Amino acid sequence: MFAAVAITEEQRLRTLKIDFLLLAGLSAIAALPASRLPRYRPEEIPAPDQPEGAAS
């Protein structure tokens, strides 16, 4: 009985490590397209109540 519990515990830990590794890889892959987004400065984005051509 105790051997089965030990094996199950080891398998759960191994699966948890693999899951975290997969999530970390997915996060890294998702960060690549996000790094290609344009870099806007706050003054380049018009306020919602201002028309696009209006100066502040």
Side-chain angles (χ1 to χ4, degrees), residues 1-47:
M1 171 96 177
F2 292 116
V5 171
I7 291 171
T8 303
E9 182 180 346
E10 289 172 16
Q11 186 63 36
R12 283 183 179 185
L13 287 174
R14 187 179 311 124
T15 303
L16 190 61
K17 287 178 185 179
I18 291 170
D19 287 343
F20 280 131
L21 183 62
L22 288 173
L23 285 173
L26 182 63
S27 297
I29 291 171
L32 292 175
S35 67
R36 296 181 61 200
L37 289 171
R39 307 220 190 290
Y40 288 112
R41 291 186 208 117
E43 63 269 4
E44 293 177 340
I45 302 171

Side-chain angles (χ1 to χ4, degrees), residues 50-56:
Q50 289 181 342
E52 249 182 72
S56 10

